[in-house]
Amino acid sequence: MQMLSSAPPSASTASALGRLLENLRLTPDELSILRELGWELRTARRRQPLVVEGAKLRLVYLVLDGFLIRYRILRDGQRQIVNVTIPGDFAGVPSCFFADSLYTVRALTDATVAALPLDRLVALFETHPRIPAKIFWSFSCESAIYAERLVVVSRRPALERIAHFLLELLTRLQRAGLADERSFKMPLRQHVIGDALGLSLAYVNRVLRQLADDGLVFIRGDRIIINNVDALSSLADFEHGYLRPMSMTEFSEATV
Amino acid sequence: MQMLSSAPPSASTASALGRLLENLRLTPDELSILRELGWELRTARRRQPLVVEGAKLRLVYLVLDGFLIRYRILRDGQRQIVNVTIPGDFAGVPSCFFADSLYTVRALTDATVAALPLDRLVALFETHPRIPAKIFWSFSCESAIYAERLVVVSRRPALERIAHFLLELLTRLQRAGLADERSFKMPLRQHVIGDALGLSLAYVNRVLRQLADDGLVFIRGDRIIINNVDALSSLADFEHGYLRPMSMTEFSEATV
DNA sequence: CGATTCGTTGAATGATCTCAAAATTAGTGG
DNA sequence: CCACTAATTTTGAGATCATTCAACGAATCG
């Protein structure tokens, strides 16, 4: 993306681009066309909203650096976070497909995103269909993450819920090159965990304490350490399959 | 779809096709190309699985008639239904994007579906990109339904959960031409409601009784009657926006 | 009509919440 | 670097929504 060169270089930004290449399996040609589409760089300070529920959104964002959350405030004031967006993810989907945005997206940390008008992406279907095809393919795959979260929130007790959530983040961040074998850095406040999983702050606290007492998970400032990934995976019945869709390329090759 | 002519004519089948036209905004030309792709008609008896968790799936199904559910059985035997599929919906998404199917799909009633190898749909990106583009656009929009269900299941008490679920079904079925102003016909067993919303059978029963006692909802055999849609919507804080994505066509027109 | 499946209900239990308050940590202006 | 404020974590006690278990009646199906 053109203006990416003007962005301050960062490990995270590089990884976001790497992940685009990696996950979508864009060819170098495709990537360079995508770059020239006129993305606009934008930074957001911690807590700043990028998308507001009810407002019109005609952009997609690619997160280059930092973390976002997407949420809804219910009429009784409760907040439900439906998504934690990490570098390399798109944001603003699926809100941009609706007349008015369904959710609010805001920065969990200072963040850098690249914005592209959705119509430009759609227009590519006429000239270079494989590029938007791969992107929409990946949008379609995202349903699996929501479905999985639904299963976990709907059916699993708090301990497993939290364990599963942390393992999902670990796995996604590893793929983005932002986590090592068993830990990652991210400001995961207990309030955020609760709002993502439908648990009260007080209870999240108790459960985290238990996970720590059992020697499974430690949170030290912004670093989350999963001491025994296998044990936690088994506790949470965590299967990472839903985080590993085939790329469209991979699919075509496998079936030709 | 070619072989559709060989299917027994049914109000439901007609509506499924109508809905394809309606929602995806396919042009007559596009529809006729889609028809010739070699869909294969398949029927499933009540309870019969169409997709099995863990099995390889390289098809998408278009539901012509009948209802399907998509679910997972957890290790403790609980079942979580992630989706109720109605005529005009696609099934097998997003499982077909993964190496192994993430969920099981089975017929809730006797059902008729049309199956298409996914690779044929993808191949259309080369020759008639607008057709698969519109379909993948609609796949992408589906995330909104899961996100909304997540919010409801995660944060709302049982009464509102059930009310919301029934209103969603009513709305979707109305769009499919399968419901009137305030009622629809569908074998919605209490067990299914519970498994969709993460509630026990016993509690679903009690809540349905209360909804009936309050004169809001009645279930008589296979007919669900919502006596006062406005009152129930208000009770459930139901907003139908998330069920009304823009079609890709609509979007392009709005932004050109 | 015999067998499943589905619906209904009660009593006891439990996971999680709410409310309230203190302790700790991080952030900010001077 | 201090002083102060805001954000976050921690903990307790009591309340509650929803569960489990168990049993029985009603309806549906082959």
Side-chain angles (χ1 to χ4, degrees):
Chain A
M1 308 163 200
Q2 231 166 351
M3 41 352 72
L4 292 195
S5 43
S6 70
S10 112
S12 216
T13 299
S15 110
L17 291 173
R19 207 178 154 212
L20 255 196
L21 265 169
E22 185 76 23
N23 285 359
L24 302 181
R25 304 293 170 91
L26 295 171
T27 65
D29 279 0
E30 289 167 351
L31 186 65
S32 79
I33 290 166
L34 196 55
R35 268 186 175 140
E36 301 304 324
L37 281 185
W39 296 76
E40 219 168 289
L41 211 57
R42 187 173 157 190
T43 60
R45 306 304 300 268
R46 192 162 111 89
R47 300 218 169 105
Q48 188 183 329
L50 280 159
V51 178
V52 176
E53 183 186 342
K56 205 159 112 172
L57 177 69
R58 296 292 173 263
L59 300 169
V60 294
Y61 295 105
L62 175 62
V63 181
L64 300 178
D65 198 4
F67 303 97
L68 314 179
I69 53 176
R70 178 153 63 92
Y71 62 88
R72 150 103 41 91
I73 304 290
L74 310 201
R75 58 180 167 181
D76 62 359
Q78 289 185 100
R79 178 176 70 165
Q80 177 64 38
I81 295 173
V82 294
N83 193 253
V84 177
T85 309
I86 71 173
D89 286 344
F90 285 92
V93 178
S95 279
C96 59
F97 302 133
F98 290 76
D100 304 301
S101 176
L102 300 168
Y103 296 93
T104 298
V105 178
R106 76 174 207 193
L108 191 60
T109 62
D110 290 352
T112 309
V113 301
L116 180 71
L118 179 58
D119 54 0
R120 287 203 206 142
L121 185 61
V122 169
L124 271 193
F125 276 120
E126 306 295 335
T127 55
H128 303 278
R130 299 182 66 87
I131 300 172
K134 287 174 180 177
I135 292 175
F136 274 78
W137 173 286
S138 82
F139 290 165
S140 304
C141 294
E142 272 185 44
S143 312
I145 298 183
Y146 301 117
E148 194 70 22
R149 175 98 70 250
L150 175 64
V151 171
V152 171
V153 166
S154 177
R155 289 299 195 184
R156 302 258 184 88
L159 190 75
E160 298 176 25
R161 248 187 252 190
I162 292 177
H164 192 282
F165 180 67
L166 296 175
L167 287 164
E168 177 180 314
L169 278 175
L170 178 69
T171 305
R172 289 170 58 203
L173 287 165
Q174 282 173 344
R175 304 197 83 195
L178 294 172
D180 60 29
E181 204 48 52
R182 57 198 199 89
S183 81
F184 57 92
K185 198 164 165 304
M186 179 183 206
L188 211 47
R189 305 292 155 231
Q190 300 185 356
H191 203 280
V192 170
I193 298 177
D195 285 352
L197 301 177
L199 297 167
S200 72
L201 173 57
Y203 203 58
V204 169
N205 184 273
R206 286 184 244 267
V207 169
L208 283 177
R209 163 135 312 278
Q210 188 185 333
L211 284 170
D213 288 347
D214 295 349
L216 289 169
V217 175
F218 300 98
I219 301 187
R220 296 275 173 274
D222 284 0
R223 179 156 290 275
I224 289 84
I225 303 134
I226 296 174
N227 214 22
N228 186 335
V229 175
D230 288 342
L232 198 68
S233 298
S234 154
L235 168 69
D237 196 20
F238 176 75
E239 298 283 345
H240 60 237
Y242 75 101
L243 295 172
R244 313 212 170 236
M246 290 181 287
S247 66
M248 199 177 92
T249 313
E250 204 174 2
F251 172 82
S252 302
E253 284 162 1
T255 53
V256 162
Chain B
M1 296 129 228
Q2 230 168 354
M3 38 353 70
L4 291 195
S5 43
S6 71
S10 110
S12 217
T13 299
S15 110
L17 291 173
R19 206 179 153 210
L20 255 196
L21 265 169
E22 185 76 22
N23 285 358
L24 303 181
R25 303 292 169 91
L26 294 171
T27 65
D29 279 359
E30 289 168 351
L31 187 65
S32 78
I33 289 167
L34 195 56
R35 268 185 175 142
E36 302 303 323
L37 280 184
W39 296 76
E40 219 167 289
L41 211 57
R42 185 170 157 191
T43 60
R45 306 304 299 267
R46 192 160 111 90
R47 299 216 167 106
Q48 188 182 328
L50 279 159
V51 178
V52 176
E53 183 186 342
K56 204 159 112 174
L57 176 69
R58 296 294 173 262
L59 301 168
V60 293
Y61 295 106
L62 175 63
V63 180
L64 301 179
D65 198 4
F67 302 98
L68 313 178
I69 53 177
R70 179 153 63 92
Y71 62 88
R72 150 103 40 92
I73 303 291
L74 310 202
R75 58 179 167 182
D76 63 358
Q78 288 186 100
R79 178 176 71 164
Q80 177 63 38
I81 296 174
V82 293
N83 192 253
V84 176
T85 309
I86 72 172
D89 285 345
F90 285 93
V93 178
S95 279
C96 59
F97 303 132
F98 289 77
D100 304 300
S101 176
L102 299 169
Y103 296 94
T104 297
V105 178
R106 75 174 208 194
L108 191 60
T109 61
D110 291 352
T112 308
V113 301
L116 180 72
L118 179 59
D119 53 0
R120 288 203 205 143
L121 184 61
V122 170
L124 271 193
F125 276 119
E126 306 296 335
T127 54
H128 302 278
R130 299 182 66 87
I131 299 171
K134 287 174 179 177
I135 292 175
F136 274 78
W137 172 287
S138 82
F139 290 165
S140 303
C141 294
E142 273 184 44
S143 311
I145 298 184
Y146 301 117
E148 193 70 22
R149 175 99 71 248
L150 175 64
V151 172
V152 171
V153 166
S154 178
R155 290 299 195 185
R156 304 258 184 86
L159 191 74
E160 297 177 25
R161 247 187 252 189
I162 292 177
H164 193 281
F165 180 67
L166 295 176
L167 286 164
E168 176 180 313
L169 278 174
L170 177 69
T171 305
R172 290 170 58 203
L173 287 165
Q174 282 173 343
R175 304 196 84 195
L178 294 172
D180 60 31
E181 205 47 54
R182 57 196 200 88
S183 81
F184 56 91
K185 197 165 166 301
M186 178 183 208
L188 209 47
R189 306 288 156 236
Q190 299 184 354
H191 202 280
V192 170
I193 298 176
D195 285 352
L197 300 177
L199 296 167
S200 71
L201 173 57
Y203 203 57
V204 169
N205 184 276
R206 286 183 246 268
V207 170
L208 283 177
R209 165 136 312 279
Q210 188 187 333
L211 284 170
D213 288 347
D214 294 349
L216 289 170
V217 175
F218 300 97
I219 301 187
R220 297 274 173 274
D222 284 0
R223 180 157 289 275
I224 289 85
I225 304 135
I226 296 175
N227 214 23
N228 187 334
V229 174
D230 288 342
L232 199 68
S233 297
S234 155
L235 168 69
D237 196 20
F238 176 74
E239 298 283 344
H240 59 237
Y242 74 102
L243 295 173
R244 311 210 171 238
M246 289 182 287
S247 65
M248 200 177 90
T249 313
E250 204 174 1
F251 172 82
S252 302
E253 284 162 2
T255 52
V256 163

